[in-house]
Amino acid sequence: GKKTILVHSDNVEDGIGARVKKAVELVVAALRMGFFGVALAIPPSGSLLHPAGAQDWPHGAVWCHESSAESPDPPNPREPNFPLACWRFDFQPDFLAQSSAPEVRTLLWGGPQNQTILSAASIDRFNCMHFGGDDAVPADAAWKFHRREAPLVKEGRPMDVLARLFASARTFSAADAQLQGRREARCGFGDAGAVHVAMHVRRGDVSETSGYNVPEQLGARGLAEWLCSLASALELDSGGSRQLLLHVFTEAVGRSRRALRRAVQRGAMPGFTFKEQFGDDAEPLYHTLGTLEVAPTCGQVVSSDVHFVVNNNPREALLCMARADVLVTSFSSLGWVSALLNEGLVFHPGMDQKPQLLQIETHWDLRDQYLDWAPNWFRVGDVNSRGPELRRIRAVARNSP
């Protein structure tokens, strides 16, 4: 007979990372309850995803958020001020390759590989269930459900519903996914002989020294040592024929290289430096070259040069982090969303590094939760103890279509 799927349209008011993570939390709950799959809509509305009076806005979907890039330089910690910054961005087609019109191409979360695409032609194969009204599902319902039920990951092994979740999303949203008008981001990952490491350094909306990102947690010397440990775990040769290249994605106060140097001086970007050069005051700055503060001790296998992507369109940041060979996240839902689609190696911060602000788990702040859902997700400390497993996953990702 027909399979039953849940149809859910999200209207949570939150940032894009938190909004998607909460929606996926609900998807997993539905799969655990026995639904065959979930059709999920995350339209550009329901928070800062669209300007007021959107009906009169002629320029398409935009993403607006409170940006530290527009904050006073230096910021005043007693009176934080984050003016809005807006970009053209529609999460469904831009990131997921899901059409804005549901009849064309919609992801069936949790569906088998040959049924991940819902369209007008395929929908009659399913019974669709929708619970109605905005308040039909309380905001904390999925979170409480997962805490009440058996663990989703037991002894390091994720439940089957998680495998279904990742397989469906990654198959549907692959780089070559066919959606008219969709284009891939250009990430600077052109050197196929290199290992491209994307690192998300959470923006300073909590504080510039919140401890939410890996460079802060490891320190300058620890960061350089960790990159060398990663190169060693992946068995990159010390001769430098295959280099490890670091790309940092972040949002920072100010829009110039000189502003980035001031951020370094006040301790906002530990582990990195920006040498003086011509054009340091040019604005706006989206891509620039920095340097590791402490030179790696493993020869040329780890490049000291660091590609910084600063205050850029969230579309490019999300997609590029999802396409990198290695992704290093912060305690942030934004990097977690990219990790959903990344089939390479993903490293999350260690739980022993959790800042005081995250010691109490809540349903409305998921940035340090659900970090063990995928078999290609690891903790930062695993580079020193799980080398064979890291190499196996890396090899599978390189050989995948």
Side-chain angles (χ1 to χ4, degrees):
K2 292 184 177 181
K3 306 292 186 181
T4 302
I5 65 174
L6 176 69
V7 178
H8 175 67
S9 182
D10 173 82
N11 63 354
V12 171
E13 295 186 5
D14 214 326
I16 187 63
R19 189 179 177 202
V20 174
K21 193 169 185 178
K22 291 171 184 176
V24 173
E25 176 188 53
L26 184 144
V27 167
V28 176
L31 295 178
R32 295 185 78 175
M33 292 168 62
F35 284 95
F36 182 75
V38 179
L40 177 64
I42 305 180
S45 60
S47 66
L48 298 175
L49 282 173
H50 223 254
Q55 297 84 352
D56 303 323
W57 177 256
H59 307 295
V62 297
W63 158 241
C64 301
H65 72 289
E66 296 172 325
S67 171
S68 53
E70 304 291 346
S71 297
D73 185 6
N76 183 349
R78 294 185 177 181
E79 297 181 7
N81 181 17
F82 304 114
L84 288 182
C86 297
W87 296 92
R88 292 193 63 171
F89 176 60
D90 188 342
F91 178 80
Q92 292 183 147
D94 285 339
F95 185 68
L96 282 182
Q98 175 169 307
S99 59
S100 299
E103 300 86 359
V104 179
R105 190 176 194 272
T106 294
L107 166 60
L108 181 63
W109 294 84
Q113 189 168 358
N114 63 347
Q115 295 186 50
T116 59
I117 300 175
L118 283 177
S119 64
S122 65
I123 197 65
D124 62 351
R125 299 200 304 263
F126 304 101
N127 294 313
C128 302
M129 182 175 292
H130 184 264
F131 290 108
D134 292 343
D135 299 323
V137 181
D140 61 353
W143 185 78
K144 286 183 175 178
F145 175 80
H146 291 309
R147 294 173 74 86
R148 185 175 66 246
E149 298 297 312
L152 280 160
V153 181
K154 195 170 183 179
E155 297 179 352
R157 302 188 63 172
M159 290 180 64
D160 178 63
V161 293
L162 293 178
R164 291 166 53 194
L165 174 93
F166 286 102
S168 60
R170 291 171 179 178
T171 297
F172 180 92
S173 306
D176 59 352
Q178 298 301 309
L179 180 62
Q180 187 174 6
R182 181 179 186 268
R183 59 180 177 82
E184 268 294 299
R186 297 179 178 180
C187 305
F189 298 163
D191 184 356
V195 175
H196 295 278
V197 180
M199 178 176 288
H200 178 220
V201 174
R202 182 184 169 81
R203 62 195 173 105
D205 60 335
V206 180
S207 86
E208 289 194 315
T209 55
S210 63
Y212 280 30
N213 62 71
V214 169
E216 275 191 84
Q217 294 161 6
L218 297 181
R221 186 168 302 280
L223 175 61
E225 291 174 351
W226 186 86
L227 291 170
C228 285
S229 296
L230 175 61
S232 176
L234 298 181
E235 295 184 337
L236 301 185
D237 61 277
S238 58
S241 61
R242 292 187 62 217
Q243 270 194 316
L244 191 151
L245 304 178
L246 181 61
H247 308 256
V248 171
F249 295 82
T250 191
E251 190 175 60
V253 171
R255 291 188 170 277
S256 68
R257 278 181 60 87
R258 196 174 301 280
L260 290 176
R261 265 204 310 281
R262 288 195 292 268
V264 169
Q265 291 168 0
R266 60 177 179 264
M269 285 193 175
F272 305 106
T273 61
F274 297 90
K275 300 174 183 177
E276 289 194 36
Q277 64 182 45
F278 177 77
D280 274 0
D281 291 315
E283 296 184 10
L285 177 75
Y286 300 117
H287 295 263
T288 192
L289 198 65
T291 307
L292 290 173
E293 181 181 345
V294 175
T297 58
C298 47
Q300 298 299 312
V301 68
V302 174
S303 174
S304 294
D305 292 331
V306 181
H307 170 212
F308 272 80
V309 186
V310 190
N311 304 327
N312 203 4
N313 191 320
R315 176 190 189 278
E316 287 198 13
L318 282 164
L319 272 177
C320 290
M321 289 192 292
R323 305 305 189 212
D325 300 317
V326 180
L327 170 60
V328 183
T329 71
S330 294
F331 283 125
S332 167
S333 297
L334 189 74
W336 189 93
V337 172
S338 290
L340 276 178
L341 301 190
N342 191 300
E343 297 187 74
L345 295 171
V346 176
F347 292 94
H348 296 297
M351 299 307 283
D352 57 335
Q353 301 285 349
K354 283 175 61 171
Q356 188 64 35
L357 286 171
L358 299 177
Q359 294 303 316
I360 300 176
E361 292 187 345
T362 64
H363 77 89
W364 48 266
D365 188 354
L366 300 178
R367 68 191 75 187
D368 61 325
Q369 299 178 50
Y370 310 142
L371 303 185
D372 57 353
W373 277 11
N376 66 317
W377 291 5
F378 299 87
R379 298 293 182 180
V380 165
D382 289 336
V383 293
N384 296 313
S385 59
R386 301 176 68 178
E389 193 173 353
L390 299 177
R391 290 190 291 274
R392 177 182 60 79
I393 290 175
R394 167 81 177 128
V396 170
R398 292 184 71 189
N399 292 326
S400 62

